[in-house]
Amino acid sequence: METITIVWGEQNSPQFSWYVDGNSSSGSSSSGQTKALPDLEQKVILKADLASLSSACKERKVVLVLACQDILHTQAALPPGAKKHIKKALPFLLEEEFAESVENMFLATEENSGDIVNVRAINRSYLEAIFQAFELAEIEIDFVCSQLDLIEKAETGYQVVLTDQLALVVDDKNHRWYCRIDQFMWLIQKQLDANDTEELPVAIPMQVYADDQKQIDMFNQQLPVGRFAAEAEKISSVEQRLNANYSKAINLLQGSYAKKTDNSEFKSLLIQLGTVVATVLVAYIFLLGSQLFQLNKHRHELREQRVAFWKTAFPDRRVPGNPDKELRIYLKQRGAVQDGNTFLTLLQKVTAEMGDLQAIYPTNISYDAARSEVRLDIVAKDLPALNRYRDQLKAKQYSVEMSSATQRGDGYSSRLIVRGQ
């Protein structure tokens, strides 16, 4: 995605400048291809005409660069402890550096900072007025930073960028400050005197950038001979050079001004949680579907078995539409007696005494409703098991008649006539 950079200028300035991918408004992108931007032939536009830039910002990332004169650039030393909670006290730690009330200032801090945290402070009303202007122009801002933060940190010594009448300065300790070009020598000398030691003086490296050679020459004339090892470089555009480094700057879209999409941690957690819930739900639905399929298959098999049993039990009768109902009516009619001992009740109590069906089991069961008796043809593995079953029924107060046992293979068979209690 291309980036459109809007250099807002000072608060009282009536106009701003803009660039696409660090190039001028002629439409050249960083890839060298020309981008057509209708109705925008000027790279400097009045702030009142901000809406004219709306169409150009639709499919581009919008970076807003504020003037360093409107932002306080400072550092604060945080005591050991929970940095997240200690940072809440920053406005009161830096209260003496503010020219107005703490309540009127908005503070942004550097992410992943150590004990020394870089802080940017700006008037809250001014910042909200800018956001309101962009909202009315239907332009969504993706990144907001100070122009001073666009300078790369010096590896050794100082790095100075000359723009308009200002000198933007950053040293190898990431201290950032600015001043008028004609005041630079006085301020830098004051810093050097404060840090002066008895060691032999060594020329301090200084890298200077500007897009005006005359400005570079005048700046070099201010520097004392032998105090700085200055290397000056003329570049095509200072603003384009600075705007290419916005990703390393402190984003002022923090706290209540942070973009909703920036809350990626919480959003990512919700997405992961939703994914897990959806996966579990799909797996559960699949499991229920497979179980339902198995139950339907089992029900179909049971229906086929029921039809087969019906045809075996009633070969001369057609299979009814509801065999269960017909069987219940038939059993009720066949099993009803005056004392309430139905066939099913008696059969349940008699078979419950069998216990281990490996030792004893019935081969045929019949019921005489008139006499209220169950006739069982029993096969037992041995005579003691057969006699034990008979004695158990008698112990339950049943009337039991057992015919003589006959040997049947490895076991013994007999017929028992059991009458109700």
Side-chain angles (χ1 to χ4, degrees):
M1 178 182 292
E2 289 184 323
T3 300
I4 182 168
T5 304
I6 299 176
V7 182
W8 194 244
E10 294 185 54
Q11 180 175 359
N12 298 326
S13 175
Q15 59 191 20
F16 68 91
S17 58
W18 63 276
Y19 302 89
V20 175
D21 281 346
N23 295 312
S24 64
S25 61
S26 60
S28 300
S29 68
S30 58
S31 60
Q33 298 178 348
T34 301
K35 302 291 182 182
L37 298 175
D39 303 327
L40 290 175
E41 298 180 356
Q42 301 295 327
K43 80 167 188 176
V44 179
I45 303 177
L46 292 175
K47 292 181 179 179
D49 297 331
L50 176 63
S52 63
L53 204 62
S54 176
S55 59
C57 298
K58 290 296 183 184
E59 298 181 356
R60 294 181 172 88
K61 184 174 184 178
V62 179
V63 177
L64 177 62
V65 179
L66 302 181
C68 56
Q69 298 95 313
D70 298 321
I71 299 176
L72 173 65
H73 304 75
T74 186
Q75 293 180 329
L78 298 180
K83 296 292 188 295
K84 182 178 180 180
H85 300 290
I86 294 177
K87 284 184 179 180
K88 295 180 181 179
L90 276 177
F92 305 98
L93 293 175
L94 302 173
E95 186 175 6
E96 295 182 357
E97 299 187 33
F98 299 152
E100 50 189 311
S101 174
V102 174
E103 288 75 12
N104 298 334
M105 302 298 293
F106 171 73
L107 273 65
T109 58
E110 184 179 17
E111 295 183 359
N112 302 322
S113 56
D115 295 336
I116 304 297
V117 58
N118 292 306
V119 183
R120 303 294 177 259
I122 185 173
N123 182 274
R124 189 181 297 272
S125 299
Y126 172 53
L127 186 62
E128 291 179 351
I130 295 176
F131 292 156
Q132 185 177 7
F134 275 81
E135 183 178 356
L136 292 174
E138 297 183 353
I139 298 176
E140 185 177 359
I141 305 174
D142 298 291
F143 198 93
V144 181
C145 63
S146 167
Q147 187 180 32
L148 187 56
D149 282 333
L150 298 177
I151 308 175
E152 294 183 2
K153 176 184 174 182
E155 295 183 1
T156 56
Y158 295 87
Q159 186 163 188
V160 181
V161 176
L162 306 179
T163 172
D164 296 329
Q165 300 299 320
L166 294 180
L168 309 180
V169 187
V170 59
D171 60 17
D172 50 10
K173 297 180 181 179
N174 206 24
H175 293 152
R176 297 175 183 268
W177 53 280
Y178 68 92
C179 65
R180 292 178 54 86
I181 296 178
D182 54 5
Q183 296 176 343
F184 174 80
M185 196 60 246
W186 176 76
L187 291 174
I188 195 67
Q189 188 62 49
K190 184 177 180 181
Q191 288 188 16
L192 294 176
D193 292 343
N195 299 327
D196 197 12
T197 63
E198 296 181 357
E199 298 179 1
L200 294 176
V202 179
I204 302 173
M206 178 181 291
Q207 190 71 40
V208 183
Y209 298 97
D211 52 14
D212 186 350
Q213 185 61 46
K214 183 178 179 181
Q215 198 175 41
I216 293 176
D217 296 338
M218 293 181 62
F219 181 80
N220 286 336
Q221 290 176 6
Q222 297 184 50
L223 301 178
V225 179
R227 196 70 175 98
F228 295 97
E231 295 184 7
E233 179 182 348
K234 182 180 180 299
I235 55 180
S236 59
S237 173
V238 167
E239 288 184 339
Q240 294 178 25
R241 176 68 175 266
L242 294 179
N243 297 340
N245 301 322
Y246 79 88
S247 60
K248 300 178 182 178
I250 298 177
N251 189 1
L252 300 185
L253 293 180
Q254 299 183 16
S256 58
Y257 301 120
K259 289 188 63 178
K260 293 182 180 179
T261 53
D262 287 343
N263 194 8
S264 55
E265 241 180 76
F266 182 67
K267 183 178 179 180
S268 176
L269 180 61
L270 287 180
I271 292 175
Q272 293 178 7
L273 181 60
T275 302
V276 172
V277 171
T279 303
V280 172
L281 182 59
V282 170
Y284 181 66
I285 292 175
F286 178 78
L287 177 62
L288 289 180
S290 62
Q291 290 179 345
L292 181 61
F293 175 77
Q294 292 295 332
L295 288 175
N296 287 333
K297 182 179 178 182
H298 187 55
R299 183 176 64 176
H300 180 70
E301 293 175 351
L302 290 176
R303 285 178 176 176
E304 290 182 346
Q305 292 178 9
R306 182 180 61 185
V307 171
F309 290 152
W310 178 275
K311 291 180 178 180
T312 302
F314 309 100
D316 299 330
R317 298 176 60 180
R318 66 178 183 84
V319 180
N322 191 346
D324 293 339
K325 183 178 179 181
E326 295 291 334
L327 284 173
R328 281 195 293 268
I329 295 174
Y330 175 78
L331 292 174
K332 185 176 181 181
Q333 293 174 348
R334 298 289 294 175
V337 293
Q338 292 181 354
D339 59 3
N341 289 325
T342 64
F343 166 65
L344 294 179
T345 303
L346 185 57
L347 179 63
Q348 181 181 9
K349 293 180 179 180
V350 169
T351 55
E353 299 298 330
M354 290 184 181
D356 186 8
L357 293 179
Q358 299 295 328
I360 183 170
Y361 60 90
T363 59
N364 187 41
I365 299 175
S366 60
Y367 180 67
D368 189 340
R371 304 181 64 179
S372 184
E373 62 182 25
V374 176
R375 298 171 183 174
L376 301 105
D377 293 334
I378 301 295
V379 175
K381 65 178 182 179
D382 50 33
L383 288 176
L386 189 59
N387 294 330
R388 186 167 52 251
Y389 175 61
R390 180 196 60 193
D391 296 339
Q392 288 175 349
L393 292 177
K394 288 183 177 181
K396 294 292 184 179
Q397 305 300 319
Y398 290 108
S399 174
V400 182
E401 294 181 9
M402 186 175 74
S403 63
S404 59
T406 59
Q407 189 170 7
R408 184 176 179 181
D410 295 334
Y412 293 86
S413 64
S414 178
R415 167 168 287 191
L416 274 72
I417 301 174
V418 183
R419 297 182 181 86
Q421 300 173 353

